[in-house]
Each structure stands twice: as C-alpha cells, then as structure tokens.
C-alpha cells in the first residue's frame, strides 16, 4: 500500500490562553493519499485552520502522531520543520501573504530560493515565469502586489505554492477574500495544477459548494474530525 | 551561487521600497559617528601639532631654566657652546599711564629670540625678530603689548607708559608668541620687552618671587640630529647637568614641554570623546527602536518566509545584511561629515589655541568612529532581529494588531541571544579604553551608562506597574491616558529610556557648566579679593588698613602674616629620606629644588575652614608651636595629629606639633599650606600678604588708588585672573555644549522615531475612538495627557541622573563646590515635556487627524 501523504493518529492540540486551556483538536485521525483532494468544512472556530497549522508544522500537536509524506513531524524543532515544509508542502493563504516589496515573479522565485534546489538564477527565473504563465499571469511578472487585483494576487500565491512541486498543498479558505467568479477560477486552476503534478490537496473551506468539488469531504465540529456522511445542498 | 550568497541576494532584493522609514536610523548613526569622528580628529590634530611643532612650541631643542636669577656671564658662555641661545624671562609688573593701570605678564627676550618660529605681530612682517623694536630709543624701551593693554591705559600704538620709574613705548600689538601655547596660564596681559629693559626695571617683579618667575635659555643644539633627537636632547641635558651641579637649574626638551600641553589637550578631548560616545549611545536607542519598528512592520513577510521554509538562521542573516548595509550608509555619512567639517574648522581652532592646525584627515580617528558606529549599530540591532527569528509563522492565520510579541526574558537571556550583545558591549568598552587611554574615566562612564540604562528601563516598567494598580479615576480622559501608558505595546518604556538618556546628558552638562561658572564668577568672585598684594611691610599694612576705612570705594582690607620656610624633617625623618608622597606632600617638602613654602600664623580659625581632625588652638593660645595642615596635605605625607614637623625659617629650626587638620577650598579667601599657632613665629623677618576688597563696580577706582599710594607694591588683579579663567572656561564649555547638544538632538530624533513607529497604532486608535463618537479635540487631549505624563516622568528620572552625575564630576573631577539650581532643573523639565508633546504631535498629527471613512476604506 502506498504511503499516505497525510496520516495523523489520535492527534490532539491544546492551547493555553491566559489561565484557561482550549482543547482545539480532539483525537483527530486522518489519512489522505497522494493526489487526493480533500475538503474540510465546519463552522468558524471548529478547529479547521488549527488542523492545517498542525499538518504544516506551524503548530506542534500536544499529543498523538503526525506524519506528512511519510515523515513523522511530531517532534521536529522549528528549523527542522522549516526544512520539512520547503521539501514537502506548500500553503495557499486566504489573505495571499505576498511580500509587498517584491514583484509577482520575485514572490514566486522566493519559494525556489528558499527551497535551495541548486538552481541557477536563470533557471529559477524561467521556472517562476512558467509558473505564472500557468496561472494566466504571464503579463504581470513585474507587477507589485498592490498593483494586482485580489484574484491576481491569489493566483500569484498559487503559482508560488506550485512552483516547488510539493507533495501536499494546504489551502486555507483560498477563495475567502474573492468574489464568487474569481474564486471559482482560482479553484479550477488549483485543482488542475494539483492533478497535473499529482499533488494532494487539503482544502479548508466553509463553502459547501466548493467542498463538493473535492474527492472527499470531512467535517470538523468542536475539534472532532469526521467523514461527511452526505453533502447538504447549499 | 553559494547558500550564503543566495541568502544575501534575497535580503538585498527585499530591501527595495520606501527607504524613508530608515531616516531616523540613518540620522542617529550619522550624528553619533560624526561627533566621534570630529572629536577624535581634533584630538589627533592637536597631538600631531604638538609632536610636529614641539621644538617650535618650546622655542628650541632644549630649554635650561631657573627661577631665582639670570645666568651669570660664565654660565651663559657655557650654554652658547651647545649652540645658539635665546633668553626669555617671565615676570610681572604694573603699567601706569596717568590714572590708568594694567597688570602685565611680562616676557623679557634678547635679540636672538625667537630661535624657532616667529612672533606674530602686525608690526613684525615676514617673521622679523622683535629685538630692534624693543630696543631703547629716545629714553623709552619698546614693548609689544596685548591690545587690551592699550585700552586699559588709554593709549594707541606709539603711546608711552611707565613701569615703576622706567618709561616704555607701545611700539606694536602682540597677537601671539611662537611658544605661547606651551607657556600655559599666566597672570596679567602678555607684554613683550627686552631682557635689558627688564633688568632696568626693578619695579617689575613677580608678586610671589620664586613662584611666577622663570629665567629661560632656549638652545638650538648644534649637534642635533633629526633622526635621533632623543639622544641629542639627552646629550645636551647631560652636558648642562655635568657643568651646572646646582639643582636649581632645570633642563627640558620639547617632549617635556609638549608632554604638558599634550596632557592638557588629552584630558579635554577624552572628555569630549566620552560626551560624543554618549551621543552615539543615545542614537543606539534610536537604532533599536527603528529596527524593532521595521521588524514589526515586516512580521507578515517574515512569517511568510518561514512558512515557505526559511530557517531561523536565514532570517537572522536576512535582517543582519539589510541592517548592516543601512547602518554602513549612516555611519559613512556621519564619518564623511565629521571629517570634512573638522578639516575645515581646524585652522580656525588653531588660531584660538595658538597652535598650527592645517586642514587634514586623520584616518585612525575615522577608523575609531567607524568601529564605534558598527559596534553600536550591531549591539542595538541584534535583539530586535532575534525577535524576528523567534516569530512564529502561525500568526499568518491569526489577526494581530500593530504590536509584535516581545522577546521574553528567558529568550532574551539565552546564550545565542545575549552573548553577542555582551561581547559587543565589551568591545565598545575596550575601544573606548584604547581611544581615551584613561581607565578611570572609562570605568566610571561605564558604571554611569549601565546605571542610567537600568534605572530608566526599570523606571518605565515600574511606572506601568504603578499606573495599572491605580483604581479607576473619575475622569475618563485621565483614565484612558493612564491606560495608554501601560497597555501592551505602549511606547512608554522606550520613550522614557530615549528621552531620559538624552535629557540626563543635557542636564549633566548644563549643571556642571553652571556650577563651575558660578564658582568662578559667583561664590569665588564674592569671597576672592579684588587685588592681592604680597611682601607688604607693617607700615604699608597700616596705610592700606587706614585707606580701606576711609575710602568709600574699598569694602575691606585683610592682611595675613606671610613667611616662607622649608620642612626639615617629619617625625625625625629628614626630608631627603622621605619617599612616595603624593603631589600635595611633594609640594610641601619643596619639590626637586627645595622651594620654600608659604607659611602663616593665625589665632582664629580662618573663615570657610572646617576642622577635620584634632582641635583648633584659639586666639589666646601661647604655648609650644602648633601647626594646622590641610587635611589632604597631611594625608599625602602620612601625618596625623600629634606628629612632629621641623621647619627651617630664615635659618632657624622650629619644631611644631600637628594640632589639627582642616578642610577648605582654595577659592574661599587666602589660605596657606601651613598655619602656625600664635607667637610661634614672633621675631622672624616675615612680611604680610594683603587682600584688598573693592565694593561692586569700584575695582578700577581701588586699583588706581593703591597703585598711586604704593607704587612699589605689586597688586595681583584677582578679578582679571578670574575673568581670564572664565574666558578659557567659556571656550572649553562651548565645545562641550556643542557636543553635548548633539546628544540631546539624537535624543529628540529617537523620540521622533519612536512616535513615528507607533503612528499606525495611533491612527487605528484615533479612528476607533472617532467611530465611537470622540471628537478630534478629545483625541488630541488624550494624546497630550498621555505624553505629558511620559515626558514629566522621564524628565524627573533624568533630573535625578543628571544631578548625581553633575555632582560627581563637579566635586571629584573638578574639585569645586556644588549646589543644585532647582530653577534651572525645573525649566529643563518643563521644556522637555513641551518638546515631547510637540515632537509627538508633529510626527503623528496626520494620524490623529485621520478621517475614519478614509481609513476604513483602505484597511
């Protein structure tokens, strides 16, 4: 059996705020295979984003096991997690999070620079140009983020995420700041690219229509993750 | 590309954008390094000039001198075998023209003077020697005078005056002597005459024979080799010592003369350098604030890079490269400005100090400024960059305000965080030591700086704690203003630190300057006599006493018995066997040439004196001889009450017991090193020293009266001497004020930077308040209240630091009295609060005036 891209076993996340402790993730067991598109839906505050953060190594699970692409990340330190991230996964954010002082192509190239793939400057430039062309921004290479629309910024974010050919793409409400049409286009691109590169996607969304486009749908409720039994029409 | 090269190239790429936000960082570093570069360059120029022109400053290759007489013809002949000789004698005299008088610092020279350099006078063009101009013509000797002499005497060039019964003609004005800088401080207005004229003027004599006279013979050695000057000096000195066995002859070479001058300039530039370093340290706080603000502004970008897989090392290198480049720009700007302005100012400074200072660049001084700049920039940037390293990328998923998580104490004290900062601090200390070569100064400064930083930092934390504990006040405005001081992310600790440091430096300089001036011109001027006469005979004392009672211009006349003698032994140990005594003790024992010391007797405890140990004898005492010594003199000689001291006064040995030690300031009236009990010196051929006190505004009238009544007596114009000292102090304190002022400017820059960095938060606060219904006036009032509290608090803490620092410098370093000018401190505090509010208002006015709709639309 192929190694799953994501595997969590009884994973818990507890956060202490002030004097109280919040139990965010409760015995989460999750398995996602390579190339699979999985959507996680749930109400606000249910723990969806926290799950994504644990999988990305941005939060450490309090207990349980977390493996991504066959690597147990449960006990890695900050720098080891950083290296793990650049070798294994990418993230698309709701708020795009482009570097404001860098152009579109520089933002995409940054991912390759940080990944340290032993590529020359020219090779990085070419790969970044190709990535932006794939998302329809070949004519926006030298634009700063503040000169791009929301949809264009998210496409740059997507190009940046895919240029490193990750095994796993984590998307946190990728259409949350976009209008419906733009969001739909971005999602189409994301799914297409992921399928072309056999990248698994874990998509956090509250949009059930969007979730329906995924191969699998999971529901997060009060920290518990369950397979969605049926999809309720919007 | 290598990994490091990759990291650096990304860092440079990320540095694009609006660089105006780094304005405060650049300005703070530029100002601080400019100050150090300028001060260091001036110091180097002075030392260079002294070394280069040492021979000119001294007036020859060696100088042979004595203080009691001129060389005999045989002695002069011997000196001439060593090379060309020029004679220069120092004395004093009173010039009189009708009712006008002027006290002169007389320099008598022969026709060969000067051997090196030239006398600067409009009447001596092309380096002409003054011999001809000073010769006897038509019954009058020639004189080149300080221009002020002409004013005092009411004459022009060509006019005549008398010194005693000898007539002189002012044949020109004197701008400077080639060896003027090395002569140091002299009483009176410098006047150049010939040695023959001096010999023909018996009335020209110093008020204290043996103390203010010197008969100097400057020699240009005929066996001088430029590449082995030291050997030549030593050979010349040995020849003189072998020939003249009399220890009264003193030989000096240019290094000795230069050494004294070099020491004087060294002390001054060391102090200026420390003040300059303070400007840079205050600027360092600005650097830290600017870097913190930059890191806060970039926190999302940092988190994004971390989410892309950047390690903490990469983040560290990323920001070190960026801030390193920016710091270098600021430092290079500062050094360039410092070097150029110094080079342009050197000739002007040289004219003031009578030293040749051509425009020049001093690489070592600039390198030292570069070193300080880099160390301060790194030391103050490092912890904010560590904060960037520690930033958790999870914040990308959470909404954060303008503020960023502070570095916890645990994280800040981890070795990888704190060690580089400590190493940097040690390197700054070592560089300061290397630059000043003054361990005591650097140590005390280090203690002061660390104490100030800790106190101000602690004060900020304590203020926030105390305000938090205050129960809610009725007025919502005051309540909210106090809350603004202690809320998370408040700039209060930084404002207090940056404002407090700059203000403490300003107060320290102002209070020290004020105290020293008031000592010279206030207290001392009040207690010091207007004129001091020495060697008064009893009939002259009677005459002056009577005049003081009857002439309304006189306030009083105070005669004090005056003797001179030598110490023979201390507790039975002969003086020549006593070693390892301090400076005061050495003076009392007569020094190398066994000079007699001034001695007096008194019945009553002298005014402004305090008995430290032992008991004062009282006016009715008539027992075995007792003495009183200054406490520090006794300590210098390891003497205690009860010890025996034998004196030789006029070939008579007198054994006295040390009855008490006293503490007094030399400025507080006439005090002697040794005071005997009544009747111990009866029958000895002493004289009197007399202090003549004029009523306010009557010093000229009193001067005229005493010079007319007693033309043979030399009266020292103490008021003139104080004015001269005050002039010198003025020049020195101007330099200190300028450098200290730069520290204050840096403090204000830091404050402006802090305010500007908090602008975004202030804007958000103002908008929310307005949306909730607050008027612009409400918002501005709240701001004014908050910053009044901060400004006043910082000012009070700074006042405490400034007062303590000024006390330490005034009492221990300058050894003058200290008093606190409360009014001055209050003025500085009020001005500071006003400036704090004004600076904050200027930098955040736009934020306070933001229209909510405009802000909310773009957010």
């Amino acid at each position: 059996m192929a190694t799953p891209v994501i595997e969590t076993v009884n994973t818990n996340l507890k956060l202490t705020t002030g004097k109280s402790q919040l139990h965010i993730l409760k015995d989460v067991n999750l398995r996602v295979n390579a190339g699979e598109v999985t959507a996680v839906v749930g109400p606000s505050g249910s723990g969806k984003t926290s799950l994504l953060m644990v999988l990305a190594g941005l939060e450490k699970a309090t207990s349980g096991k977390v493996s991504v692409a066959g690597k147990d990340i449960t006990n890695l330190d900050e720098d080891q997690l950083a290296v793990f991230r650049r070798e294994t996964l990418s993230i698309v954010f709701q708020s795009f999070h482009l570097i404001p002082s860098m152009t579109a192509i520089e933002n995409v190239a940054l991912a390759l620079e940080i990944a340290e793939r032993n590529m020359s400057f020219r090779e990085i430039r070419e790969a970044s140009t190709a990535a932006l062309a794939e998302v329809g921004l070949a004519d926006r290479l030298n634009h700063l983020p503040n000169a791009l629309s929301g949809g264009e910024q998210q496409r740059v974010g997507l190009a940046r995420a895919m240029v490193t050919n990750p095994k796993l793409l984590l998307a946190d409400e990728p259409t949350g700041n976009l209008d419906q049409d733009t969001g739909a286009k971005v999602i189409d691109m994301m799914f297409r690219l992921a399928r072309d590169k056999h990248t698994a996607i874990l998509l956090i969304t509250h949009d059930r229509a969007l979730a329906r486009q995924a191969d699998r749908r999971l529901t997060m409720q009060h920290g518990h993750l369950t397979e969605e039994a049926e999809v309720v029409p919007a | 590309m290598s990994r490091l090269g990759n990291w650096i190239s990304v860092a440079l790429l990320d540095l694009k954008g609006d660089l105006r936000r780094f304005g405060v960082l650049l300005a703070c570093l530029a100002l601080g390094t400019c100050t150090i570069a300028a001060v260091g360059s001036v110091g180097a120029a002075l030392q260079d000039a002294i070394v280069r022109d040492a021979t000119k400053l001294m007036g020859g290759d060696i100088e042979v001198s004595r203080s009691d007489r001129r060389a005999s013809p045989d002695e002069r002949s011997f000196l001439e075998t060593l090379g060309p000789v020029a004679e220069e004698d120092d004395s004093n005299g009173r010039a009189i023209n009708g009712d006008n008088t002027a006290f002169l610092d007389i320099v008598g020279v022969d026709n060969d003077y000067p051997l090196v350099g030239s006398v600067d006078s409009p009447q001596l063009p092309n380096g002409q020697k003054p011999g001809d101009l000073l010769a006897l013509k038509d019954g009058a000797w020639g004189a080149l005078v300080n221009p002020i002499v002409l004013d005092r005497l009411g004459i022009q060039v060509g006019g005549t005056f008398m010194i005693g019964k000898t007539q002189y003609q002012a044949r020109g004005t004197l701008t400077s002597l080639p060896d003027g800088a090395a002569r140091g401080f002299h009483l009176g207005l410098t006047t150049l005459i010939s040695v023959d004229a001096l010999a023909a003027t018996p009335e020209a004599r110093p008020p204290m024979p043996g103390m203010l006279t010197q008969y100097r013979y400057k020699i240009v050695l005929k066996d001088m080799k430029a590449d082995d000057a030291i050997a030549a000096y030593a050979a010349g000195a040995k020849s003189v010592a072998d020939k003249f066995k009399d220890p009264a002859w003193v030989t000096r070479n240019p290094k000795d003369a230069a050494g004294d001058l070099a020491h004087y300039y060294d002390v001054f530039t060391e102090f200026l350098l420390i003040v300059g370093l303070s400007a840079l340290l205050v600027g360092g706080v600005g650097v830290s604030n600017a870097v913190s603000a930059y890191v806060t502004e970039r926190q999302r970008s940092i988190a994004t890079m971390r989410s892309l897989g950047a390690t903490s090392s990469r983040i560290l290198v990323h920001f070190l490269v960026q801030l390193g480049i920016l710091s270098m720009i600021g430092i290079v700007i500062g050094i360039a400005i410092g070097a150029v302005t110094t080079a342009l100012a050197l000739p002007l400074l040289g004219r003031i100090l009578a030293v040749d200072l051509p425009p020049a660049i001093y690489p070592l001084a600039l390198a030292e400024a570069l070193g300080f700049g880099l160390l301060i920039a790194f030391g103050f940037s490092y912890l904010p960059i560590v904060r960037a390293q520690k930033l958790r990328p999870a914040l990308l998923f959470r909404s954060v305000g303008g503020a960023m998580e502070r570095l916890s104490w645990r994280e800040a004290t981890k070795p990888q965080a704190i060690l580089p900062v400590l190493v940097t601090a040690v390197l700054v200390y070592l560089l300061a030591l290397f630059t000043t070569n003054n361990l005591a100064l650097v140590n005390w400064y280090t203690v002061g700086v660390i104490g100030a930083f800790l106190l101000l930092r602690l004060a900020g934390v304590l203020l926030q704690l105390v305000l938090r504990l205050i129960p809610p006040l009725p007025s919502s405005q005051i309540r909210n203003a106090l809350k603004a001081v202690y809320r998370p992310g408040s700039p209060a600790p930084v404002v207090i630190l940056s404002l407090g440091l700059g203000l403490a430096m300003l107060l320290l300089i102002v209070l020290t300057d004020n105290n020293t001036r008031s000592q010279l011109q206030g207290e001392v001027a009040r207690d010091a006599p207007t004129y001091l006469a020495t060697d008064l005979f009893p009939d002259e004392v009677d005459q002056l006493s009577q005049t003081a009672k009857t002439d309304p211009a006189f306030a009083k006349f105070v005669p004090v018995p005056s003797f001179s003698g030598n110490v023979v032994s201390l507790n039975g140990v002969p003086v020549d066997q006593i070693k390892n005594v301090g400076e005061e003790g050495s003076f009392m024992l007569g020094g190398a040439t066994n000079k007699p010391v001034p001695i007096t007797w008194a019945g009553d405890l002298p005014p402004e004196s305090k008995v430290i140990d032992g008991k004062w004898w009282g006016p009715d005492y008539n027992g075995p001889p007792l003495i009183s010594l200054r406490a520090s003199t006794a300590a210098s000689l390891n003497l205690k009450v009860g010890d025996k001291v034998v004196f030789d006064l006029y070939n008579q040995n007198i054994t006295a017991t040390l009855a008490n030690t006293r503490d007094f300031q030399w400025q507080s009236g006439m005090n002697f090193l040794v005071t005997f009990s009544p009747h111990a010196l009866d029958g000895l051929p002493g004289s009197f020293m007399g202090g003549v006190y004029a009523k306010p505004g009557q010093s000229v009238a009193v001067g005229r009266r005493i010079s007319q009544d007693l033309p043979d007596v030399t009266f020292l114009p103490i008021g003139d001497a104080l004015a001269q000292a005050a002039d010198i102090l003025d020049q020195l304190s101007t330099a200190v004020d300028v450098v200290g002022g730069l520290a204050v400017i840096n403090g204000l820059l830091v404050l402006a930077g802090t305010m500007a960095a908090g602008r975004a938060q202030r804007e958000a606060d103002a908008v929310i308040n307005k949306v909730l219904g607050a008027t612009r006036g409400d918002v501005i009032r709240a701001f004014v209240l908050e910053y009044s509290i901060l400004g006043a608090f910082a000012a009070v803490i700074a006042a405490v630091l400034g007062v303590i620092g000024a006390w330490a410098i005034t009492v221990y370093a300058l050894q003058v009295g200290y008093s606190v000018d409360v009014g001055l401190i209050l003025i500085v505090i009020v001005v500071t609060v006003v400036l704090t509010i004004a600076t904050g208002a200027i930098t955040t006015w736009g934020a306070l005036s933001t229209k909510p709709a405009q802000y909310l639309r773009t957010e």
Side-chain angles (χ1 to χ4, degrees):
Chain A
M1 194 149 106
T3 309
V5 170
I6 297 174
E7 187 176 21
T8 69
V9 179
N10 294 335
T11 301
N12 287 274
L13 175 67
K14 292 176 186 170
L15 294 177
T16 307
T17 50
K19 289 180 183 161
S20 58
Q21 194 177 61
L22 298 172
H23 197 166
I24 310 285
L25 298 177
K26 297 169 184 168
D27 291 324
V28 170
N29 292 288
L30 172 64
R31 197 183 168 89
V32 174
N33 296 317
E36 206 171 65
V37 177
T38 306
V40 177
V41 298
S44 187
S46 58
K48 309 188 295 295
T49 301
S50 296
L51 172 63
L52 186 147
M53 286 160 62
V54 166
L55 293 174
L58 299 173
E59 284 280 13
K60 269 184 173 283
T62 313
S63 64
K65 183 183 158 186
V66 181
S67 290
V68 179
K71 191 176 181 86
D72 186 348
I73 65 169
T74 318
N75 295 313
L76 297 185
D77 66 29
E78 286 291 335
D79 279 350
Q80 288 169 329
L81 287 168
V83 172
F84 145 76
R85 273 195 295 278
R86 71 192 191 209
E87 287 173 353
T88 313
L89 60 85
S90 292
I91 309 172
V92 173
F93 302 95
Q94 179 178 356
S95 300
F96 326 136
H97 289 311
L98 302 182
I99 308 288
S101 57
M102 292 184 183
T103 61
I105 191 165
E106 287 166 350
N107 265 286
V108 174
L110 184 64
L112 286 172
E113 303 268 12
I114 289 174
E116 295 180 5
R117 298 273 171 95
N118 283 326
M119 294 165 73
S120 68
F121 175 75
R122 198 173 142 191
E123 285 166 339
I124 289 175
R125 189 93 187 165
E126 282 170 1
S128 306
T129 305
L132 282 166
E134 278 190 284
V135 297
L137 290 175
D139 57 344
R140 294 279 197 269
L141 298 183
N142 296 314
H143 282 59
L144 288 171
N146 63 12
L148 300 170
S149 68
E152 287 168 342
Q153 288 187 58
Q154 192 58 294
R155 281 191 272 162
V156 173
L158 181 57
R160 182 180 66 187
M162 297 308 295
V163 77
T164 53
N165 295 322
K167 296 187 179 68
L168 171 64
L169 176 66
L170 300 171
D172 180 32
E173 304 273 11
T175 58
N177 280 342
L178 305 174
D179 63 77
Q180 202 161 355
D181 282 344
T182 310
K185 284 178 186 154
V186 167
I187 289 298
D188 282 344
M189 268 180 212
M190 188 191 307
F191 284 7
R192 175 173 54 78
L193 287 169
R195 281 187 178 119
D196 288 348
K197 295 175 193 248
H198 204 58
T199 300
I201 301 179
L202 186 80
L203 171 66
I204 305 293
T205 182
H206 61 268
D207 184 345
R208 288 190 181 273
L210 171 57
R212 247 178 267 127
Q213 296 181 53
D215 299 327
R216 260 170 92 196
R217 286 157 297 284
L218 303 172
T219 303
M220 183 73 87
Q221 195 104 23
H222 302 305
H224 291 288
L225 188 68
T226 53
E227 197 84 29
E228 197 169 77
E230 57 180 280
V231 174
V232 177
Chain B
M1 194 191 292
S2 70
R3 171 188 264 189
L4 186 61
N6 167 290
W7 291 5
I8 291 172
S9 72
V10 172
L12 293 176
L13 189 69
D14 188 38
L15 196 51
K16 290 181 303 179
D18 188 359
L19 296 181
R20 284 180 298 175
R21 62 189 153 176
F22 299 113
V24 169
L25 182 148
L26 293 175
C28 284
L29 282 174
L31 200 61
T33 47
C34 168
T35 308
I36 294 181
V39 169
S41 296
V42 167
L46 287 170
Q47 296 301 325
D48 231 22
I50 290 164
V51 168
R52 184 185 65 233
D53 296 336
T55 304
K56 187 169 98 173
L57 286 171
M58 203 186 72
D61 292 324
I62 62 170
E63 176 194 272
V64 183
S65 67
R66 59 186 298 145
S67 58
D68 56 346
R69 61 172 176 82
R70 294 174 73 182
S72 67
D74 280 346
E75 288 165 341
R76 176 71 189 239
S77 298
F78 166 73
L79 293 176
E80 283 168 358
T81 64
L82 301 174
V85 178
E87 182 176 346
E88 180 184 336
D89 303 335
D90 296 330
S91 188
N92 293 99
R94 181 161 286 282
I96 301 173
N97 177 39
D99 286 341
N100 299 321
T101 68
F103 187 73
L104 304 180
D105 160 35
I106 293 175
V107 182
V109 297
D110 64 11
N111 287 341
D112 292 314
Y113 177 90
L115 291 174
V116 185
S118 57
V119 174
D120 190 359
S121 164
Q123 285 73 32
L124 291 173
N126 307 320
Q128 183 189 331
K129 288 187 198 258
D132 281 345
L133 210 59
L134 304 177
L136 182 67
K137 284 178 193 153
D138 300 326
W141 292 96
L144 289 175
V145 299
N146 182 318
I148 298 173
V149 173
L150 301 177
D151 294 335
R152 291 269 173 96
L153 297 178
I155 59 175
Q156 306 284 335
V157 171
T160 57
F161 58 92
M162 307 294 288
I163 300 178
K165 298 184 176 61
T166 311
Q167 188 177 52
Y168 286 82
Q169 183 184 37
R171 293 189 187 142
T173 54
L174 182 65
T175 308
S176 67
L177 296 172
D179 52 350
R183 288 186 75 231
F185 179 79
H186 276 244
L187 285 171
L189 300 162
T190 308
T191 299
L192 195 69
I193 62 176
S194 72
V195 286
D196 295 331
L198 188 57
T201 312
E203 297 87 355
R205 67 166 195 269
M208 284 174 275
M211 292 194 75
L212 293 179
T213 41
Q214 279 298 317
Y215 300 91
R216 306 178 197 272
Y217 297 87
K218 318 262 187 181
I219 306 168
V220 173
L221 296 170
K222 64 180 190 220
D223 295 329
M224 184 65 189
K225 289 184 185 60
D227 57 350
D228 199 4
I230 305 292
Y233 299 153
K238 188 174 181 308
S239 300
V240 170
D242 288 345
K243 176 71 177 175
F244 299 155
K245 305 285 186 215
D246 184 352
W249 284 105
V250 174
T251 307
R252 292 198 314 165
N253 66 51
K255 287 205 172 302
D256 297 325
D260 293 339
L261 196 57
H263 178 70
Y264 163 70
Y265 288 134
D266 249 350
V267 169
F268 180 62
T269 52
E270 276 165 25
F271 181 68
L272 273 190
L273 204 71
I274 289 297
V275 177
L277 184 56
S278 303
L280 191 56
L281 281 172
V282 172
V285 176
V287 167
S288 178
N289 293 349
V291 174
S292 280
Y294 177 57
V295 164
T296 301
E297 186 192 303
R298 302 303 311 286
Q299 55 185 322
R300 288 200 183 277
S301 298
I302 298 166
T304 302
M305 286 177 63
R306 292 287 267 154
S307 74
L308 290 173
T311 58
S312 53
S313 305
R314 185 177 190 131
I315 299 294
L316 182 72
V317 169
H318 188 92
F319 285 99
L320 278 179
V321 165
Q322 291 187 337
L323 292 159
I325 289 169
L326 290 166
S327 299
M328 271 307 288
I329 293 172
I331 290 167
V332 166
I333 290 172
I335 288 174
I337 294 174
V340 168
T341 50
T342 307
L344 293 174
L346 280 174
L348 175 64
L349 185 64
R351 272 199 288 281
I352 295 170
L353 297 173
V355 176
D356 182 25
L357 297 177
I361 303 288
Y362 292 89
L364 181 60
L366 302 185
E368 285 164 358
L370 174 69
F372 276 120
L374 286 173
L375 288 172
I376 295 296
F378 176 78
F380 281 90
S381 304
Y382 188 71
L383 284 181
I385 294 176
V386 167
R387 205 153 62 101
Q389 261 191 319
K390 299 291 174 205
L391 194 127
R392 292 183 303 124
L395 78 84
L396 290 173
F397 298 94
R398 300 202 180 95
S399 167
V400 289
M404 194 162 139
E405 276 176 28
R406 290 192 180 283
L407 212 57
S408 67
W409 280 106
R410 252 180 63 191
E411 281 176 330
T413 49
K414 276 188 182 159
Q416 56 264 45
I418 200 66
L419 263 180
V421 176
L422 288 177
V423 168
T424 306
V426 169
L427 289 174
V428 170
Y429 171 85
L430 291 173
L431 187 57
L433 203 54
F434 172 77
T435 316
T436 61
N437 203 26
N438 188 330
L439 183 65
L441 178 65
V442 172
N443 281 347
W444 279 111
Y445 180 70
T446 304
V447 166
V449 162
I450 293 173
F453 263 89
L454 287 176
L455 181 66
L456 286 165
R457 200 72 186 83
L458 205 64
V461 169
L462 275 174
L463 174 68
Q464 291 184 311
L465 204 68
V466 165
L467 292 181
R468 205 187 298 269
L469 294 174
I470 293 176
L473 298 170
S475 158
S476 64
Q477 282 214 320
I478 298 177
R479 209 166 51 232
N480 289 330
L482 296 185
K483 251 194 225 165
V485 172
Y486 64 73
R487 68 172 175 201
S490 160
V494 172
V495 168
I496 290 169
L497 178 64
S498 47
L499 195 62
L501 276 179
L503 184 57
M505 173 59 53
L506 172 67
L507 274 172
L508 187 145
I509 291 170
V510 165
L511 289 175
T512 305
D513 188 35
N514 201 50
N515 252 292
T516 320
R517 280 177 203 273
S518 73
Q519 283 294 308
L520 279 177
Q521 292 158 353
E523 258 178 59
V524 172
R526 274 199 305 277
D527 294 339
T530 315
Y531 298 95
L532 183 71
T534 59
D535 278 343
L536 291 169
F537 292 111
D539 62 315
E540 289 165 335
V541 169
D542 291 339
Q543 187 177 352
L544 277 166
S545 299
Q546 193 57 33
T547 306
K549 281 182 193 147
T550 56
D551 190 323
F554 283 67
K556 61 180 175 180
F557 168 68
V558 178
V560 176
S562 174
F563 301 80
S564 66
N566 291 86
V567 176
V568 172
S569 67
L570 302 176
N571 287 324
V573 178
V575 157
D576 54 9
Q577 290 175 25
I578 296 173
K579 310 283 176 212
N580 298 325
V581 296
E583 201 180 316
E584 280 190 43
S586 176
F587 183 79
M588 179 151 152
L589 297 184
T593 54
N594 202 28
K595 276 200 183 110
V597 293
I599 295 172
T600 190
W601 66 264
D604 292 315
L605 180 68
E608 309 286 343
S609 267
K610 193 172 78 170
V611 173
I612 301 296
D613 193 18
K615 218 175 128 191
W616 187 258
W617 44 73
D620 298 327
Y621 179 80
N622 193 8
L626 303 174
I627 54 169
S628 172
L629 296 178
R630 193 174 185 217
S632 52
T633 309
S636 182
L637 292 167
N638 295 315
L639 289 176
K640 52 188 186 315
V641 168
D643 284 350
K644 303 277 188 216
V645 181
V646 179
F647 291 86
D648 172 2
L649 281 95
Y650 313 104
N651 292 319
Q652 191 174 322
N653 277 9
I654 299 176
T655 303
T657 306
L658 180 61
N660 62 76
T661 60
R662 295 179 356 257
D663 190 21
F664 55 83
Q665 298 291 328
W666 289 110
Q667 304 91 305
S668 58
M670 289 180 289
N671 282 290
F672 284 70
L673 269 183
V674 184
T675 304
F676 270 82
S677 54
H679 307 294
L681 306 177
D682 284 353
L684 292 176
S687 61
F688 286 86
M689 194 179 276
V692 178
Y693 295 76
K695 286 186 180 153
Q698 299 296 324
S699 59
V700 172
V702 166
R704 277 202 200 112
R705 177 70 193 264
I706 54 181
S707 59
Q708 279 164 7
D709 286 356
L710 297 163
D712 295 334
V713 174
T714 304
F715 289 91
L716 273 176
I718 301 298
D720 275 359
L722 290 175
Q724 247 181 297
D727 266 345
I728 294 169
L729 179 65
D730 253 341
Q731 287 176 8
L732 298 178
S733 60
T734 299
V736 176
D737 289 347
V738 165
V739 175
L742 292 174
V744 173
I745 291 172
N746 240 357
L748 286 175
L749 271 177
V750 170
L751 183 64
T754 309
M755 304 275 191
R759 189 197 157 93
Q761 185 65 51
R762 198 156 299 286
E763 195 171 52
D765 291 351
V767 161
I768 291 168
N769 275 304
K770 286 178 185 174
V771 164
L772 292 172
T775 63
R776 190 159 93 161
D778 292 335
V779 170
I780 291 168
R781 264 191 296 278
F783 167 79
V784 167
L785 206 50
E786 180 190 346
Y787 277 87
S788 298
I789 294 169
L790 285 178
F793 186 75
V796 166
I797 303 292
V800 169
L801 287 171
V803 165
I804 292 172
W807 168 79
I809 291 174
T810 309
V811 170
Y812 290 104
L814 301 176
Q815 296 187 349
V816 295
Y818 181 75
S819 59
V820 177
D821 189 337
V822 176
L824 179 65
I825 295 172
L826 281 174
I827 290 171
V828 173
I829 288 176
V830 166
V831 168
T832 304
V833 172
V834 169
L835 270 176
T836 309
I837 297 168
T839 309
I842 290 166
T843 49
T844 59
W845 188 254
L848 296 177
S849 308
T850 302
K851 291 189 174 17
Q854 172 195 333
Y855 177 86
L856 293 168
R857 215 174 283 127
T858 56
E859 176 56 12

